[in-house]
Amino acid sequence: EVQLVESGGGLVKPGGSLRLSCAASGITFTNAWMSWVRQAPGKGLEWVGRIKSKTDGGTADYAAPVKGRFTISRDDSKNTLYLQMNSLKSEDTAVYFCTTPDYYASRSYTHFDYWGQGALVTVSS
Amino acid sequence: QSALTQPASVSGSPGQSITISCTGTSSDIGRYNYVSWYQQRPGKAPKLMVYGVSDRPSGVSNRFSASKSGNTASLTISGLQAEDEADYYCSSYTSGSTLFVFGTGTQVTVL
């Protein structure tokens, strides 16, 4: 069974920093392309960024609103994905989901099969 | 990159069929066959219902079908059931630096 478990959420002041983690099990994490998707309270889904597997270059891409402030990284030895969030703004308040495609089933990286339960980040003074 | 446009709400009676539209641009839906659909119940994570425009993951009911024409994608739920009540989001891969865009979301109500 695939499990993605986010942690590290909480309350942070504007301008502050926070790091989220996503522990993965049930997947071959080293081959996984992992994404973060967020959802502001009562709002829709918004893609935040993605990191490729190290085999495929290990590079990360970001949505325009977070580029330069957020950094996605991975520790394959720990099967863990990270989201370092700096210079946080009130509009970053959201539930943050980690997610990944089941490449072996679909041969595609352009959708999201598995999702964590989400971690709530609240940016407020 | 703007969100894809979906109707805010769609409703139907049990057994009926409903269709949710998702309108994008020539930079996303119109360019790629990488449209996916997600079902989200309150307080839960999204669930993949369709990928690659019209493919269903294993375990998703064949009452869910989807298609695309030009810049617009559609999700049809046939034989509507009470358990289908949820929010539905479309998504597409894009040609911009923001690789994925989601729709504005549609609340489905079973009357």
Side-chain angles (χ1 to χ4, degrees):
Chain A
E1 179 194 6
V2 176
Q3 280 201 312
L4 301 174
V5 180
E6 301 93 339
S7 60
L11 175 64
V12 61
K13 289 182 168 53
S17 299
L18 202 63
R19 188 180 82 159
L20 301 182
S21 300
C22 170
S25 60
I27 62 171
T28 305
F29 187 77
T30 53
N31 294 341
W33 291 25
M34 303 296 297
S35 281
W36 288 97
V37 171
R38 68 183 179 183
Q39 186 170 35
K43 302 297 184 182
L45 301 170
E46 180 184 24
W47 180 78
V48 172
R50 178 191 71 186
I51 188 166
K52 295 181 178 179
S53 65
K54 285 191 165 58
T55 302
D56 292 307
T59 55
D61 296 282
Y62 302 93
V66 307
K67 197 167 187 177
R69 299 188 298 123
F70 290 12
T71 301
I72 299 174
S73 61
R74 62 190 300 155
D75 185 338
D76 290 350
S77 70
K78 296 181 179 178
N79 285 0
T80 300
L81 173 73
Y82 300 102
L83 178 65
Q84 176 67 44
M85 302 181 289
N86 298 332
S87 303
L88 282 161
K89 307 174 182 180
S90 58
E91 51 263 44
D92 295 319
T93 294
V95 173
Y96 286 74
F97 297 99
C98 70
T99 179
T100 187
D102 182 352
Y103 180 78
Y104 299 103
S106 64
R107 297 300 175 188
S108 173
Y109 293 113
T110 54
H111 57 276
F112 308 107
D113 288 87
Y114 304 120
W115 296 72
Q117 83 287 353
L120 176 62
V121 173
T122 303
V123 184
S124 175
S125 55
Chain B
Q1 186 77 40
S2 299
L4 307 174
T5 301
Q6 298 180 232
S9 62
V10 173
S11 61
S13 299
Q16 286 187 330
S17 293
I18 61 169
T19 297
I20 303 168
S21 62
C22 171
T23 302
T25 69
S26 58
S27 296
D28 38 65
I29 293 177
R31 175 169 291 196
Y32 303 104
N33 287 326
Y34 297 142
V35 179
S36 51
W37 290 89
Y38 302 86
Q39 176 192 70
Q40 188 180 32
R41 295 195 171 98
K44 299 295 186 183
K47 174 186 176 183
L48 178 68
M49 305 302 285
V50 169
Y51 67 93
V53 175
S54 59
D55 290 328
R56 282 187 310 274
S58 174
V60 172
S61 171
N62 59 11
R63 297 187 298 104
F64 292 84
S65 61
S67 62
K68 184 192 91 165
S69 177
N71 296 339
T72 299
S74 299
L75 174 72
T76 297
I77 308 174
S78 56
L80 201 60
Q81 298 179 2
E83 67 196 45
D84 299 331
E85 271 207 354
D87 293 329
Y88 291 82
Y89 293 91
C90 58
S91 178
S92 176
Y93 187 76
T94 84
S95 62
S97 58
T98 296
L99 298 181
F100 296 93
V101 61
F102 283 92
T104 50
T106 298
Q107 183 178 52
V108 168
T109 302
V110 181
L111 302 171

